[in-house]
Every structure is written in C-alpha cells, then in structure tokens.
Amino acid sequence: MWQVWLLPALIVVVSVLLSVPTGFYLAWIIDGRYKPPRWLRLVETRLDTGPQNWKAYAVALVLFNLVLFVVGFVLLSLQSVIQFLNPDSKGMLAPTTIFNTVASFLTNTDLQHYSGEQHLSYFSQVFVIIWLMFVSAGVGFCALAAVIRGLRGDPHMGNFYLDLWRVVVYVFLPASLIMGVILMAAGVPMTFDGAQKVAPLEGGEQTIARGPVAALVPIKHLGTNGGGFFGANSAHPFENPNALTNFLTCVNILIFPMSLVVMFGRLIGNIRQGLVIYGVMLSLFVVMIVWGVRWDTLAPNPAFTGLPIDQGLGNLEGKEMRFGTSAGATFSAVTTAVTCGSVNCMHDSLNPLAGLTPMSGMWLNCVFGGKGVGLINLLFYLIIGVFLAGLMVGRTPEYLGKKVEAREMKLAMLALLVHPILVLGPTGLFAAKDWGNKATNNPGAHGFSEILYEFSSASANNGSGFEGLGDTWGFASQTPEDKSAPPPYPYSRQWDIATGLVMLLGRFLPIIAPMAMAASLARKKHTPFTSGTLRTDTATFGFVLLGTILLIGALLFLPAAMLGPVAEHYGPIPFGK
Amino acid sequence: MFMELTPWLPALFGLGLATMLLILAFIVACEKV
C-alpha cells in the first residue's frame, strides 16, 4: 500500500529541490543581471520604453492583451480560409467557440470548449494556441515582478515589455526546447503531416490524429497553461506516453510556481519571508495530495458497491493505468494547485470527496498557484492576515516595513472578492436555469459539482474540466438543423459566453488591484523594525497566514462544497436520485 | 457560412473588446480607492 505514496512523494521532493536554483535563476533574469549577447541586447533596447509606474505598467499589460485578443480572434475566425498548415481542412469554428477559446488562452486558463485534434488546424494550434501559451504565462510572471518591485519599495515597477521579453525568451523558450526534445525522444509526435489513416486488424479504417504536439506540451505545463493538443489532454498517449513523462509533466507544472516563491524571497532581500510563504503553500499542497489519494486511490468507487468487482486498487474509473494507480489523484492535485488545468484522468470520475481536492485548489487559488498570479493571490491573503493579526495583538499592521492601512485593505478585499463572486454568482444562475441543469450529464449533487467546477476553473484561470457538461458547439457548420454532423449542445452558447467573460474578469481584476496595493505600499515611508513590530518572517506568522487562508476559503466556498461533493458523498447511490 | 455568421462574430468581438475596456477602467477605479 505504501507504493501509492511513492509517486506523489517523488514529485514533491524533486520539485522542491529544483525550485531553489530555478528561483535564483529567475531572480537573476527579472532583475536584469543577465547580460545577453549583443543582438539580444539590441532587442531589449528597442523594447525598453523606460521605467513605468504601476498605472503605466498595468495599462501596458492590459493593452498588450487587448491586441492579443484582436489578433487571436481574427486568426481563429479565418481558420477555414487559411490553408497554410491545415492539411486536414479544418472548417470554421462557431463564433462563441472562437470567443471562448481566445478568452481562455489569452488569460492562461486554457479551458477548452473544443477538441484540439477535431476542431483546430495546425496553424491555429501554433499561431494562436502555442503563441498565447508563451505570452500569457509571461504576463502573469510580469505582474508578479511588478508587485514585488512595489513591495520592496522601488521607485517604479519596471518595464512591462522588457519583463515580458526576458521571461519568454530567457526562461520559457529554453526550458520548452529542452523539454520538447525529451518528449520527442519519448515518442511524442512533432510533425505537420495530416492525420494518418491506418487499417486496424479488425478491418475498416482508423484515423490517427497527430501534429506538432511536442511543440505544445512543454509550454502547456511549464507555463501552467493546461490546454491539450488532444481533447483527452495528458491522458492521451501522444501527449503523455509513459510513467516517466507523467512524472516529468508533474515536475514541469510545479517547477516555476514553486520557484517564484524563492524568487520573491531573493528579490525582496529577505529569504525568510519567502520561506514562510513557501512553507504555508507546501503544507496546503501536501494536504491536497494526501486528501486526493486517500479518498480516491485508497477508497473504493461507491458506485460499484455490491458488484463483483475487486476494488483493492481503489477507484480506477477514468484513470490511465500506464501511470500507476495514484497518478490520477496526484495529478489532479498538482494541476489545480498551480492552476495548470492539464489532466491525466477524468476528474468527473474521482470519488466525491476526492473531487474536493481539485476544487479547493481552484477556490484557494494560492497553493503555489498560476504563474505569478498564485503568489499575488497569496499576498493579499497575507496583507489581510497581517491586518487581522495586528488588530488582535494591538500592533500597527506592517508588511516589509510599510504600514498596512485602509487603502491597502480595500484593494486587498477587492482583489479577494472578485474570485468568489465570479464563481458563485454564475454557478447559482446556471444551476437555477436550464442552461446548467440540462447541460449536465448527471442529476443532483454531482450535476451541481459539474457546474460549480466549470466556473471555479474559469475564474481561477485553471482550465481543467470536471467534464460531463454539454458545453461544446465546435464547428460553425454544426447547427441543429444539419443532420450530417453531430449537433452542438443546446446551451453551449451560454457556456461559451459566460465562462469567456468570467475568465477575462477573473484574470485581470485580481492582477490590477494588488499592483495598485503594492504601489501604494511603495510610496510609504519605511518604518524601522522595533520590538513592537509584528514579525512576518516567523513560523508563528506562517500559522496565522495558514489560518487566514483556510478561514476565508471555508467561509467563501464551504456552503457550495456542501451542496456538491459533500452532499454526493453522503447521498444515496445512484447519486442524486 | 462566413456571411451567415456575421452578426455573431462582430457582436462577440465587441463583447471581448468592451470587457477589456472595462478592465482598463478598473485601473482608474483602483487609483481612486
């Protein structure tokens, strides 16, 4: 039985060990201490528009994304017209699928209301999907760099364009190239030839989809993007061929979000501050994995109770046995803790309580979290923790020598409340209407979980799907009247538009408010450290921070959890009857 | 097909742009907090 813990333990230990040198490397890059070759320096000089205050930085960030939205929308709209890299003649996508896909990849969410091998040309995969995977990951990273500069009291937030260039070219590109070569050696395809027709032994003809998969998969994980080349994502043997690639995938997902905490400590010149945050995040992460494995790999599937099925290996429904029995539950914790969204098992098939693991990862959204934004999310929990602890012990709340006052608290609360509003509001609306009830594959509590999961994933910019929802329209030609093609799901338009808007708002609002908060702190006079200062670099404060996260998280999301996974766990079988 | 979809495409394109502009306005709102 101990063997089920081997994979999760190995993933955590290796990722933690690698995160230290990687964090130091990231700090070196983001602080501009790396001296690139002359031709790259020329590019940097052209991109550097000078130091930006928080508003200029935020405006540059949003305007850059607005341009990406326009370009992505136009390119996807023209998919059927662009014959370049379209060997399988993919047609035009439905308008709401285009809107949802662009919003999804622009925001690093990668929620997929389409199936890559079925609906996208190679041109769309390369010039919309992969391109957005690189820059959207870079944007989150830049936002964190700006916040850190504010917290350490820099007179300006840096330069957005220069930061983005450095992150994409000096971090993501080399890392993706190395990982791409490893994946190709493991058998992941990298070709622009169209799908292959083969004759299987039982006769007939089988179409095997392929494409530039090895170009997409590394940045899918390193950038905590998560959108698969294939609909089955990392459960597909062409994306994740064996147990070794599965292990490497998990490390790839974790490495940068973990390293960013080390980078934070390094950049603010106080590694202990980073260590406290790292400890809190790691504790939550380990609990998430243990909970998932305990309730899925070490528990039988309740739906099979009484049937002549040996459940000694736990709940095997929806799992890929190539990776090992605990790989699905472990992956579900990894991919949702850091808002990656890649999947190697079907989350809809997790046992009800194990389903809480991915959901809580997305609800808290700060257990290492997405590239850059996870740590930003934790920082506003931290500011709230500092404020509460300061009130409790009667000391002026301070963080990094700057007083935390009303303005910072308002901005922190603003950033904090966006996420639950975007999750719970639309979930309530869709659960009350046919848009939700008639789109779910399951009745009762499990159906509610499918709706709740979808909006949690969209708002947290995670992108994984619980699945079981009818939310795909696909090609524009797939109208209900067209009997030659599978009809679109009746409420796919509502899902496309609603989750598209949630992703856009859930991405940028919680980035902007903390930037304003960091700039506000930067403007304040440094308060000298005295015996009356509330220390934030101790284990005691780590417990305060942990308590703040758990308390706020429980207050916001526990009622919804009761209606979904918990009700399902205690409910009758078959569920929801 | 492209022509049939013209009402939807610009509407959704506009919706995306409007959302991004709203986010830009949020920057101003944060400054005023």
Side-chain angles (χ1 to χ4, degrees), chain A residues 417-466:
Chain A
L417 289 174
V418 168
H419 181 50
I421 289 171
L422 289 176
V423 174
L424 300 176
T427 298
L429 179 68
F430 273 64
K433 292 182 77 76
D434 285 351
W435 303 348
N437 285 325
K438 294 203 170 155
T440 56
N441 270 356
N442 298 84
H446 196 81
F448 179 78
S449 292
E450 288 169 357
I451 299 171
L452 178 64
Y453 192 105
E454 187 75 356
F455 283 112
S456 303
S457 179
S459 177
N461 295 150
N462 180 272
S464 66
F466 207 51

Side-chain angles (χ1 to χ4, degrees), chain A residues 206-222:
Chain A
Q206 188 181 0
T207 303
I208 298 184
R210 54 185 178 173
V213 188
L216 181 144
V217 175
I219 190 61
K220 173 181 103 172
H221 297 126
L222 291 165

